[in-house]
Amino acid sequence: MSSTQLPVVLVTGATGYTGSAIVKHLISTNSFTVIVLIRPTSVSKPLVKEFEAGGAQIRLGDIVDPLEKLEEVLQDVDILISTAMVFDLESLKLLFLAASKVGVKRVIPSDFGPHAPRGATVMNDIKLDVRDYIKSINLPYTFIEVGCWVTGIFPFPHDLPNTWNAPKHFVGTGDVRSLYSTLESIPPFVERIIIDERTLNKAVLIHDGEYTLNETRRLGEKISGEDFADYPTLSDKELKERMQSNEIFVKITSASEHSMYVKGENSLARVKEDGVLVARELYEGIPVADLEPEGRKFYAKPFIWGQTDR
């Protein structure tokens, strides 16, 4: 890339929640050549047409394609941002191996989630395995963490069924601090992070603030007018039993609750202790999302993971 050329960014998972927000923002800056990797079956989607109308280039393919195909779609790419959720570790390795072979200058794997150490959750361990692989092939990287999505930190209203993705319980003491992030804050930070030499080969946190379950419970009661006192608080024994469940999503969500709200692993103090850079300490001018309006949006239309678009 010459000094007169715009950085070329390719985004996978571009039609998803996080990916689409990042793509739209990068297009709007006019500071990047934006390419989106789209499956042939998705090329006619309105969102893809919107990307094209905004000036993004479309390359057809899938992140689980063979190595040779991945090398082809990554030609001339400076920065690869992967936002697709894939649990096939071998396929993810191929994507980053292809990036290494064609000379991609920086990769951002799909780390857009809470901070946690190895062993905290199955999903987190897969992300850490990907990180280790990227390092092992000497591929330049930036790992971006975002705390807990604000859509999942308030108590669910009574009129929804009690399910793994809309749980009606609390855990821990309720006063353990945990990081939260909003979709609006992530893209403008990503814009800065991916071209900053200070973040090369580093992990970076994007967040809006910290909360406790007691705080979001009180705020949820204020906004919704509901009293959540009838929602049980799971004992440590009950939570650990759920962490051993044969139902995979119960197992994953319970492990996440234990990591965040019992062990306090998704906190600003823990992030800094583990050497992660904090985006709000690196860059100015990006507003902090306040919890009350975010809570009002949640209770107007509760987000249930896997059922509705966030």
Side-chain angles (χ1 to χ4, degrees):
M1 183 181 69
S2 73
S3 60
T4 59
Q5 290 177 316
L6 297 178
V8 179
V9 182
L10 184 142
V11 182
T12 75
T15 59
Y17 178 61
T18 308
S20 60
I22 291 173
V23 168
K24 290 177 183 178
H25 179 80
L26 294 182
I27 292 172
S28 73
T29 68
N30 295 315
S31 298
F32 302 89
T33 296
V34 180
I35 303 172
V36 292
L37 183 64
I38 300 295
R39 296 187 186 96
T41 54
S42 299
V43 73
S44 61
K45 287 184 176 181
L47 186 56
V48 177
K49 297 299 183 184
E50 182 182 343
F51 293 158
E52 284 188 290
Q57 300 176 22
I58 306 299
R59 291 188 183 176
L60 298 182
D62 195 315
I63 61 174
V64 296
D65 281 340
L67 180 62
E68 296 77 11
K69 175 62 175 176
L70 293 171
E71 289 181 37
E72 181 181 332
V73 300
L74 290 172
Q75 288 293 328
D76 305 316
V77 169
D78 297 307
I79 303 163
L80 166 63
I81 302 176
S82 174
T83 64
M85 292 184 65
V86 176
F87 305 116
D88 180 353
L89 182 58
E90 296 309 311
S91 294
L92 288 172
K93 285 182 177 180
L94 279 186
L95 175 66
F96 296 115
L97 178 59
S100 177
K101 285 180 172 290
V102 301
V104 172
K105 297 178 177 64
R106 186 185 312 215
V107 298
I108 294 84
S110 186
D111 270 22
F112 297 87
H115 184 76
R118 185 172 292 280
T121 72
V122 173
M123 292 173 64
N124 189 66
D125 283 354
I126 293 174
K127 292 196 296 185
L128 294 181
D129 287 341
V130 171
R131 290 188 183 190
D132 287 346
Y133 178 72
I134 288 171
K135 292 177 182 178
S136 76
I137 59 174
N138 297 314
L139 182 59
Y141 64 85
T142 300
F143 304 139
I144 298 179
E145 301 177 357
V146 300
C148 186
W149 290 103
V150 74
T151 49
I153 68 177
F154 293 96
F156 282 89
H158 285 80
D159 61 0
L160 291 177
N162 185 14
T163 59
W164 69 265
N165 51 357
K168 295 182 179 180
H169 64 250
F170 301 103
V171 300
T173 61
D175 59 2
V176 174
R177 305 205 67 75
S178 191
L179 296 160
Y180 74 90
S181 297
T182 59
L183 185 61
E184 291 74 18
S185 297
I186 291 170
F189 275 122
V190 168
E191 172 199 347
R192 292 157 174 80
I193 290 168
I194 62 177
I195 56 172
D196 189 344
E197 290 298 315
R198 295 174 296 175
T199 63
L200 188 62
N201 298 330
K202 302 286 186 180
V204 187
L205 166 72
I206 296 173
H207 80 300
D208 284 289
E210 287 185 297
Y211 68 99
T212 69
L213 289 180
N214 286 337
E215 289 172 341
T216 52
R217 172 180 171 173
R218 289 192 295 268
L219 185 54
E221 290 177 336
K222 172 186 174 183
I223 294 169
S224 68
E226 298 185 37
D227 184 351
F228 299 114
D230 57 319
Y231 288 9
T233 296
L234 301 184
S235 68
D236 193 56
K237 178 182 177 183
E238 289 171 318
L239 184 56
K240 287 180 177 177
E241 287 174 351
R242 289 173 62 89
M243 290 166 61
Q244 303 303 317
S245 172
N246 291 325
E247 298 180 48
I248 185 61
F249 288 114
V250 171
K251 181 185 183 81
I252 290 172
T253 55
S254 298
S256 295
E257 289 176 323
H258 189 261
S259 173
M260 290 190 293
Y261 304 129
V262 177
K263 301 180 74 175
E265 292 170 335
N266 181 46
S267 67
L268 190 59
R270 181 61 181 269
V271 162
K272 289 186 173 183
E273 179 183 320
D274 290 344
V276 178
L277 301 177
V278 178
R280 288 199 176 274
E281 296 179 358
L282 296 175
Y283 316 106
E284 298 179 349
I286 298 176
V288 176
D290 185 70
L291 273 181
E292 182 157 347
E294 293 298 327
R296 293 191 180 283
K297 286 191 287 186
F298 172 78
Y299 286 106
K301 185 180 180 181
F303 167 73
I304 302 177
W305 191 86
Q307 293 187 15
T308 59
D309 292 333
R310 283 191 283 189

